[in-house]
Amino acid sequence: MKGVVAYPEQLAERYRALQLWKGQSIPDWFEELAARFSNRTALVDGERRVSYAELARRARAVARGLSLAGVRALDRVVLQLPNGLELVETLLGSMRAGAIPVLALPAHRRVELEAFCRRAGAVGLVMPERHAGVDLLTTARELRAACAELRSIWLASSGEPPPGFQRLSALGEAGADAGEAAPGVSASEVALLQLSGGSTGVPKLIPRTHDDYLYSVRASAELCALDADSRFLAMLPMTHNFTLSSPGWLGVFHAGGTVLCADGLLPGRLLELLSRERITIAAAVPSLARALVEAAPRLLPDRKLEGLLLQVGGAKLDRKLARAVLEVLGCRLQQVFGMAEGLVNYTRLDAPAAVVMETQGRPLSPYDELRVVDPDDPAASPLPSGAVGELQTRGPYTIRGYFDDLAGQTRHFTADGFYRTGDLVRRTADGDLIVEGRIGERILRGGEKIAPDEVEAHLREHPSVRDAAVVGVDDEYLGQRSHAFISVVNGAALPTTAELRAFLRARGLAAFKLPDAVQALAELPRTKIGKTDKQALQKSAAPR
Ligand code: OOB
C-alpha cells in the first residue's frame, strides 16, 4: 500500500518459512476461532454475553454494512469507541470489509481526530455521540466540515442521529440480510493503523500487517499461557496496543477465553470485578496499578486476587509499587515494556521475583533483534551489556516506517531498518531490560546529565510521596534545571523542598541530581492512556 515501508522481501520470506507469518488475515483467523470455539462466551459487556459464533456473525454484518455504504478494500476508517461490544464487532467487521481501522482512543478530541482523518485520508469515522458525560456531536459536526474525504460518520447513540450522520447500529442491521461476500484480504497487507505513544504532538500512524500483528498476538498468548479458561478484564482502552495484542483481547480470543469489558470504572469497581468475575489476566499502566493498590485495603480486605496475573506496562513501574502489587493485591505480576511500533518485552511467568520486580523483561520473540547504542553517537558500534543507551530494534512484528512519513524516516529508523525507540535502556547480564527513561526527557544541567526516572524512583521512596515526575526547565545559567512534581500520600503533610533534598542526599544521590525545585500537585497530569504527561508538566513548571 502507498505510504507503507514494506519489510525487505528476503526477510519476509524468512519469517514465512519460519511460520512466524502464517499468511492468514485477522478476519479469516477470527472465522476459524468462531468455528472452533463456537458456543463459548467470547465477550461480556455489561448484561450482554456474546459467543464466538455470534460475534463472528455480528462482525460479518458490520462488514457487509460497510461494503453497502461504499467502503472499499484498503479504505481507512477512524474508529473511536469506548470499550464494549460495538468496538469489538466494528473493529473485526471493518477488517473483514478489507478496510483499515485507525485506532483512536476515547479521550481523543477534535484536534487529534482531525489529524488522524487527514493523515490517514479516512473515508469514514465511527465515534460515540456522547462519552463519559461529554456531548461529542459538535466535535462530529466540526470534523465533517473540516475533513473533505470523510464520506460517512457513524455515531454510536441510542436514538436517531441528526441529519448528515449515520447510526452505528444501522450498519449491522443493513448488513444482516445482504448477500454480498467479503472481499479477500491479503495477510501481508496493512490490517490496522495504530497510534504512536510519543508524548510530542499528535500521534503518528503505525501500519501493522495481518501477518506481523497476528504473530505477536499468538506468541504473546503462548508466553502468558492463556487457554480457554482465561478471563481478561479490559480496563484500559481496548484499541491501545497493550490491551489489544499484548496478549490483550485478541490474545484471549486466540486461546478461546472470555473478554470482559470495563469502561471508565473507578478502581473500587474494577477491584470488585477482578475478584467477583475470577479474572485471570488484566493489563494496567502504573497509575492504574497504584489506584488499585490504594483502594484494596478498604475494598478488598481479605479477598486477595490469587488467580490474577496483573500485567503492568506503558510506563516505568518502580520497585516500591511492584512490591505493593504483589503484597497488597496478592496477585502475580508481569512487567510489559512494549510499543505500538512493534517490539514487546515481558517478564516471564517463571522469572524469579527480583526479575519481575526490577526489570521490564525480555523480547517476546527469539527473532527480535535488539541493540543498545550511544544516543550521542548512534553510528558507533553497539554498547556492551550493562551500559545505558538508546534501544534500537527490528524484527518480525516491528514496523519499518510510519505511515506516509517519508520526511521522518531517517529520524525514526536507521538505514538497516532498526526502529530508534528513543528509550534509554540497560541490559542485565541475564538479558533482561531495564528502562532508564527517554532520550528527550534527559536533563542536561550545567554539563551534567540527569535521568529523571532515577530521581523519581528515589522520590517515591519517601513515605509521604505518592508519585513523582522530574522534568528539565530552560535555565539561563545551567542550560536546564530540574523541577520535581510530586503528589502526596492521602493525609500526609507536604514535605518541603529542603526536606526532600536532604532525603535524597541521605539516600546517596549525587548533589547535581537533587531537584532545584519541588512543586506539589493534587494529581500528576496523565496522557490519554494514563502515563505521566511530562510535556504538560514541562509547560507548567513555574518560572523562577
Ligand atoms: C505501550 O505502547 P505505546 O506505543 O503507547 O508507548 C510506547 C512507549 C515506549 O517506547 C516506552 O517509552 C514506554 O512507552 N513504555 C515503557 C514501558 N512500556 C512502555 N516505559 C517503561 N516501562 C515500561 N514497562 O505503552 C505498550 C504497548 C504494548 C504493550 C505495553 C505497552
Side-chain angles (χ1 to χ4, degrees):
M1 187 169 109
K2 204 174 136 274
V4 176
V5 183
Y7 289 85
E9 196 40 49
Q10 233 180 340
L11 255 186
E13 265 164 33
R14 175 148 185 263
Y15 295 151
R16 284 190 201 102
L18 286 164
Q19 281 288 297
L20 311 181
W21 294 359
K22 290 183 184 289
Q24 190 178 40
S25 71
I26 294 177
D28 287 349
W29 162 84
F30 192 74
E31 284 294 328
E32 205 177 285
L33 297 179
R36 179 151 19 119
F37 301 120
S38 153
N39 289 326
R40 296 191 64 96
T41 303
L43 195 83
V44 180
D45 174 8
E47 298 299 304
R48 298 184 290 181
R49 291 182 158 269
V50 182
S51 69
Y52 277 83
E54 171 65 6
L55 187 53
R57 194 195 61 71
R58 294 181 73 110
R60 281 196 295 269
V62 170
R64 283 195 222 104
L66 284 169
S67 303
L68 289 176
V71 173
R72 298 283 166 257
L74 304 186
D75 279 352
R76 272 80 63 201
V77 175
V78 175
L79 188 54
Q80 191 213 26
L81 288 175
N83 290 357
L85 175 58
E86 282 72 22
L87 168 57
V88 171
E89 68 187 23
T90 311
L91 182 45
L92 293 172
S94 59
M95 286 195 275
R96 190 172 171 79
I100 299 175
V102 183
L103 304 183
L105 298 172
H108 285 133
R109 289 294 174 261
R110 190 188 53 78
V111 171
E112 293 92 9
L113 292 172
E114 184 178 332
F116 304 152
C117 289
R118 281 181 194 280
R119 279 193 207 165
V123 302
L125 165 66
V126 180
M127 62 182 284
E129 191 172 334
R130 291 184 73 75
H131 181 243
V134 183
D135 185 349
L136 296 172
L137 196 55
T138 310
T139 303
R141 287 210 168 93
E142 287 168 353
L143 288 166
R144 196 181 47 179
C147 304
E149 290 180 62
L150 213 48
R151 292 199 305 260
S152 317
I153 299 183
W154 287 278
L155 293 177
S157 65
S158 40
E160 270 312 307
F165 296 97
Q166 278 79 38
R167 186 163 47 89
L168 179 63
S169 50
L171 211 50
E173 289 157 18
D177 42 33
E180 205 171 321
V185 176
S186 161
S188 55
E189 259 306 346
V190 175
L192 45 89
L193 287 166
Q194 268 289 3
L195 307 180
S196 68
S199 52
T200 44
V202 174
K204 293 179 278 294
L205 302 179
I206 297 171
R208 302 288 302 264
T209 66
H210 295 267
D211 269 333
D212 91 68
Y213 213 61
L214 274 184
Y215 168 55
S216 76
V217 166
R218 285 194 312 266
S220 297
E222 203 171 302
L223 188 149
C224 294
L226 300 186
D227 60 23
D229 293 326
S230 294
R231 294 170 65 76
F232 179 81
L233 181 65
M235 307 191 291
L236 300 175
M238 288 171 83
T239 47
H240 188 267
N241 205 57
F242 191 8
T243 322
L244 180 57
S245 68
S246 308
W249 55 274
L250 290 179
V252 173
F253 283 170
H254 182 72
T258 301
V259 173
L260 290 90
C261 305
D263 186 68
L265 297 182
L266 294 172
R269 269 288 284 153
L270 291 173
L271 280 177
E272 187 192 322
L273 283 174
L274 288 168
S275 159
R276 192 189 67 208
E277 296 292 337
R278 302 177 321 280
I279 299 299
T280 63
I281 177 166
V285 288
S287 57
L288 175 56
R290 176 174 290 108
L292 294 175
V293 164
E294 286 172 352
R298 197 163 38 88
L299 296 162
L300 200 76
D302 46 357
R303 288 193 314 227
K304 293 210 163 178
L305 302 168
E306 281 112 7
L308 174 68
L309 175 69
L310 186 67
Q311 304 179 283
V312 182
K316 179 75 176 262
L317 174 69
D318 61 81
R319 204 194 141 80
K320 187 178 173 188
L321 183 54
R323 181 178 292 281
V325 164
L326 295 172
E327 287 173 0
V328 179
L329 299 180
C331 61
R332 287 180 301 156
L333 170 67
Q334 177 180 59
Q335 293 211 41
V336 187
F337 163 38
M339 50 208 76
E341 287 81 358
L343 178 70
V344 190
N345 303 277
Y346 295 91
T347 55
R348 302 313 201 242
L349 300 186
D350 59 358
V355 171
V356 171
M357 282 197 287
E358 282 159 27
T359 83
Q360 282 65 58
R362 53 178 70 192
L364 166 63
S365 166
Y367 302 98
D368 283 319
E369 297 175 66
L370 275 70
R371 64 189 184 202
V372 177
V373 304
D374 180 348
D376 302 315
D377 186 11
S381 28
L383 298 171
S385 162
V388 177
E390 184 189 16
L391 174 66
Q392 298 188 340
T393 183
R394 68 178 181 192
Y397 60 100
T398 296
I399 56 162
R400 296 288 175 137
Y402 288 109
F403 180 67
D404 206 12
D405 182 37
L406 215 55
Q409 185 64 24
T410 52
R411 187 156 19 110
H412 301 296
F413 298 85
T414 65
D416 55 351
F418 279 75
Y419 166 53
R420 305 178 201 267
T421 65
D423 290 319
L424 293 168
V425 306
R426 157 164 79 84
R427 239 185 307 195
T428 68
D430 293 331
D432 293 299
L433 294 172
I434 297 177
V435 180
E436 303 277 0
R438 289 199 51 83
I439 293 183
E441 289 167 5
R442 268 188 315 177
I443 301 169
L444 297 171
R445 183 187 183 278
E448 308 273 12
K449 287 191 190 110
I450 305 173
D453 286 51
E454 184 192 8
V455 185
E456 289 159 8
H458 283 287
L459 281 169
R460 287 194 204 100
E461 293 292 334
H462 188 284
S464 303
V465 174
R466 177 171 184 257
D467 201 0
V470 179
V471 299
V473 185
D474 289 345
D475 185 277
E476 207 181 326
Y477 302 103
L478 293 165
Q480 275 187 314
R481 66 198 142 84
S482 67
H483 194 112
F485 291 88
I486 57 168
S487 63
V488 175
V489 173
N490 216 348
L494 178 65
T496 63
T497 301
E499 268 166 23
L500 281 173
R501 288 173 56 97
F503 173 77
L504 296 178
R505 207 176 298 119
R507 290 182 66 85
L509 213 60
F512 70 86
K513 295 181 185 171
L514 306 180
D516 294 300
V518 179
Q519 189 178 337
L521 297 176
E523 278 287 343
L524 300 186
R526 304 283 171 200
T527 66
K528 310 224 178 314
I529 189 79
K531 310 183 189 194
T532 307
D533 189 343
K534 291 225 164 159
Q535 256 206 328
L537 286 175
Q538 212 153 13
K539 279 189 199 143
S540 79
R544 225 181 358 195

